[in-house]
Amino acid sequence: MSMFLFDGIMFLHILAAVIGLGAAFVFPVLSRAAKTAEQARHTIALFEKLALLPIAGSVGMLITGVSLLLLEPALLATGWFIASLFLFFAAQMLVIGVLPKSMRRQSAALEAHEGEGVPVEYRRISRQTARVEMVTHLLAVVLLAVLIFRPF
């Protein structure tokens, strides 16, 4: 097996992680920065445009991860690899299943709101979403640590 091929796919795998996780870590910061309803609407519009980045990163990580596994089937016998799969899919369930619903609820709260201030409902949903985002970020950090340090 060519080490060059394996290393090239590993580079793409890491690049996909940076693209996907970088955007995901920025979203909560942008969400809390909105001070007016108009800024919140602009933030939601940005999220909709940037939503492709975490999706592309996740798909890229999945494809390159499977490619690495096909090149090196012995990875399935390692605890760190199995743990990384579990962490990856747990994070994806939150990112794909929970967070988009929260964004839609925030968007609906903004649409129903008239006035300059950020609606109370938008802030409430944002606080609830922050907990899920924190868990997602924790899963991502632990996943990266497992992939880098391969503790077991």
Side-chain angles (χ1 to χ4, degrees):
M1 190 66 49
S2 167
M3 259 335 247
F4 180 75
L5 178 62
F6 189 88
D7 289 344
I9 293 173
M10 181 60 76
F11 172 77
L12 294 174
H13 189 69
I14 293 168
L15 182 62
V18 169
I19 290 169
L21 295 175
F25 274 92
V26 170
F27 284 2
V29 175
L30 290 176
S31 179
R32 286 187 285 281
K35 303 295 182 217
T36 66
E38 188 56 37
Q39 288 175 350
R41 285 183 189 95
H42 181 69
T43 299
I44 294 287
L46 278 175
F47 287 168
E48 290 170 356
K49 289 178 183 174
L50 294 174
L52 181 60
L53 293 175
I55 293 168
S58 294
V59 169
M61 284 188 288
L62 183 61
I63 291 170
T64 55
V66 168
S67 298
L68 291 169
L69 180 60
L70 291 173
L71 289 173
E72 192 61 51
L75 289 172
L76 274 177
T78 61
W80 66 267
F81 188 81
I82 302 301
S84 69
L85 288 174
F86 173 77
L87 292 165
F88 175 79
F89 286 113
Q92 292 309 303
M93 288 174 43
L94 294 174
V95 169
I96 294 170
V98 176
L99 293 177
K101 291 177 187 174
S102 294
M103 188 182 298
R104 284 191 296 273
R105 289 178 31 229
Q106 283 180 303
S107 185
L110 284 171
E111 287 178 28
H113 179 71
E114 295 191 24
E116 287 297 310
V118 177
V120 172
E121 181 68 6
Y122 178 91
R123 293 280 186 212
R124 187 186 65 74
I125 296 166
S126 183
R127 281 191 301 276
Q128 290 173 346
T129 303
R131 293 182 201 111
V132 175
E133 290 166 338
M134 186 173 20
V135 171
T136 303
H137 294 157
L138 179 63
L139 287 170
V141 169
V142 172
L143 173 60
L144 289 173
V146 167
L147 289 172
I148 292 168
F149 299 114
R150 299 177 185 167
F152 40 86

Short mmCIF file of all heavy atoms in Angstrom, two decimals, residues 11 54 61 82 92 111:
data_model
loop_
_atom_site.label_atom_id
_atom_site.label_comp_id
_atom_site.label_asym_id
_atom_site.label_seq_id
_atom_site.Cartn_x
_atom_site.Cartn_y
_atom_site.Cartn_z
N PHE A 11 -4.53 13.70 4.86
CA PHE A 11 -4.53 15.16 4.73
C PHE A 11 -5.93 15.67 4.39
O PHE A 11 -6.42 16.64 5.00
CB PHE A 11 -3.53 15.61 3.65
CG PHE A 11 -3.63 17.08 3.34
CD1 PHE A 11 -3.09 18.01 4.20
CD2 PHE A 11 -4.29 17.52 2.20
CE1 PHE A 11 -3.19 19.37 3.93
CE2 PHE A 11 -4.40 18.86 1.92
CZ PHE A 11 -3.85 19.79 2.78
N PRO A 54 -20.27 22.86 7.44
CA PRO A 54 -20.25 21.69 8.32
C PRO A 54 -20.73 20.42 7.63
O PRO A 54 -20.21 19.33 7.89
CB PRO A 54 -21.20 22.07 9.46
CG PRO A 54 -21.26 23.55 9.44
CD PRO A 54 -21.06 23.94 8.01
N MET A 61 -15.25 14.03 5.92
CA MET A 61 -14.65 13.18 6.96
C MET A 61 -15.14 11.74 6.83
O MET A 61 -14.35 10.80 7.01
CB MET A 61 -14.98 13.72 8.35
CG MET A 61 -14.17 14.95 8.72
SD MET A 61 -14.40 15.45 10.44
CE MET A 61 -16.06 16.10 10.42
N ILE A 82 -12.67 2.70 16.85
CA ILE A 82 -14.08 2.42 17.18
C ILE A 82 -14.66 3.57 17.99
O ILE A 82 -15.78 4.03 17.73
CB ILE A 82 -14.20 1.09 17.97
CG1 ILE A 82 -13.63 -0.08 17.18
CG2 ILE A 82 -15.64 0.83 18.40
CD1 ILE A 82 -14.28 -0.32 15.85
N GLN A 92 -22.82 13.89 14.89
CA GLN A 92 -23.63 14.11 13.69
C GLN A 92 -25.11 14.05 13.98
O GLN A 92 -25.90 14.80 13.39
CB GLN A 92 -23.26 13.08 12.60
CG GLN A 92 -21.88 13.26 12.05
CD GLN A 92 -21.61 14.66 11.62
OE1 GLN A 92 -22.32 15.24 10.79
NE2 GLN A 92 -20.57 15.27 12.18
N GLU A 111 -39.57 35.87 12.46
CA GLU A 111 -40.59 36.21 11.48
C GLU A 111 -41.86 36.74 12.15
O GLU A 111 -42.51 37.65 11.64
CB GLU A 111 -40.93 35.01 10.61
CG GLU A 111 -39.86 34.67 9.60
CD GLU A 111 -40.21 33.43 8.80
OE1 GLU A 111 -41.42 33.15 8.61
OE2 GLU A 111 -39.28 32.75 8.34
#
